[in-house]
Amino acid sequence: MEIDLQSLVKVERIARAAGRAIMKIYARTGLDVRFKDDRSPLTAADGVAHDLIVSELAGLSPEIPCLSEEDVPAFRGVNAEGRYWLIDPLDGTKEFIKRNGEFTVNIALIAHGEPVLGVVYAPVLGAMYAAAKGSGSFKLDATGRVPIRVATHRPGMPWRVVGSRSHAGDSLEVLLQRLGAHELVCMGSSLKLCLVAEGRADVYPRLGQTSLWDTAAAQCILEQAGGKVVQLSGVPLTYGDASALLNPFFIAHGTSGMDWPKLFADILPSDQH
């Protein structure tokens, strides 16, 4: 499978189909919510979207294995070319249950640890973000396919910080104090990284737990839009070790003169630096 705009369009269609399947369940009066062992919520929509995406990707690229949040045991490792699909069929299940619309379908192609193709689709919002390495990043909505780029923060202007509706903590409060003047925008799911990618936010610090499938697709979109997703040490977030399902803490940002590792010094435990 080539990493190009044509392939990206095919994955976009799969994400839209998954979104339609999710919306059929979203429209129901009541939602049957169960809980996994880690107490994270699970709905019928997660499973339906998973089945559709995995089936469609198998038809598109049978040589590339899938690692999906909803069936981790089925993953047998990367293929001989170092590739695998990394999928979150419904990212933001808590937002889905709250019915605030801030949930997404995430599909990423990983090659040698790097996300080289990514699609994030928010069916309620009617917005899709997509990128392929070398082809740029785009937002697709009612107006069509529009290229997107990160913003450059200008000295003296308030920082536009995006954060999670469901996860916050004392470390973020300390960071915000160190930043100085700022505006905090709350958003669910991988849409947080997409806001940075399209220049509507300057930075998204994630000082809490995420899984590989939460970030990979949106990371590709942000990086191809000119931004970065790095660990607190400044090292890029990577996906080469698919057996380690949890990401380290990270920061996603556009362009600026900020020394992010220095800003994070002494806020967090040493194993996150």
Side-chain angles (χ1 to χ4, degrees):
M1 176 180 167
E2 297 296 325
I3 303 167
D4 55 20
L5 191 56
Q6 183 177 4
S7 298
L8 183 61
V9 170
K10 293 177 181 177
V11 179
E12 291 168 2
R13 291 171 181 164
I14 294 172
R16 287 192 188 279
R20 289 192 295 270
I22 289 170
M23 290 303 294
K24 290 180 180 179
I25 297 173
Y26 191 68
R28 296 176 183 172
T29 303
L31 296 174
D32 180 18
V33 181
R34 295 177 288 122
F35 292 88
K36 303 177 187 178
D37 292 341
D38 64 0
R39 301 305 299 162
S40 60
L42 181 68
T43 71
D46 296 81
V48 168
H50 161 82
D51 291 342
L52 187 153
I53 294 169
V54 170
S55 175
E56 291 294 324
L57 289 177
L60 176 64
S61 56
E63 76 284 3
I64 303 178
C66 292
L67 172 55
S68 169
E69 178 183 12
E70 303 312 326
D71 193 4
V72 173
F75 183 61
R76 296 292 180 262
V78 303
N79 69 5
E81 297 179 335
R83 294 187 176 191
Y84 67 100
W85 291 105
L86 186 51
I87 307 157
D88 193 339
L90 202 170
D91 180 28
T93 302
K94 291 180 180 178
E95 322 311 321
F96 179 86
I97 295 168
K98 294 175 185 175
R99 296 184 183 276
N100 66 16
E102 296 175 3
F103 58 85
T104 60
V105 176
N106 299 344
I107 306 175
L109 177 63
I110 308 299
H112 301 291
E114 177 187 2
V116 294
L117 183 150
V119 172
V120 172
Y121 179 47
V124 172
L125 304 180
M128 176 177 286
Y129 299 85
K133 187 175 182 179
S135 296
S137 290
F138 307 91
K139 184 177 183 180
L140 295 80
D141 55 22
T143 65
R145 181 185 296 271
V146 180
I148 57 175
R149 292 290 295 177
V150 297
T152 298
H153 179 262
R154 291 179 293 171
M157 295 296 292
W159 290 92
R160 297 171 301 166
V161 184
V162 63
S164 173
R165 291 198 188 282
S166 304
H167 304 279
D170 294 340
S171 296
L172 178 59
E173 291 301 321
V174 173
L175 171 66
L176 294 177
Q177 291 176 11
R178 292 187 179 184
L179 269 179
H182 65 272
E183 304 166 355
L184 182 61
V185 178
C186 291
M187 182 65 67
S189 70
S190 58
L191 289 170
K192 294 182 285 294
L193 289 97
C194 294
L195 289 185
V196 180
E198 64 175 319
R200 291 172 57 194
D202 299 304
V203 60
Y204 164 39
R206 184 51 187 252
L207 312 180
Q209 181 175 303
T210 57
S211 298
L212 302 182
W213 44 72
D214 293 323
T215 56
Q219 179 172 344
C220 180
I221 293 160
L222 177 52
E223 290 178 342
Q224 296 305 309
K228 293 183 179 181
V229 183
V230 297
Q231 300 177 42
L232 304 189
S233 63
V235 176
L237 200 63
T238 60
Y239 303 84
D241 182 5
S243 66
L245 299 178
L246 297 180
N247 291 316
F249 295 173
F250 65 85
I251 185 161
H253 62 86
T255 56
S256 70
M258 177 62 71
D259 183 343
W260 295 110
K262 183 177 180 180
L263 189 69
F264 279 101
D266 74 37
I267 293 180
L268 296 164
S270 59
D271 64 350
Q272 290 293 336
H273 288 276

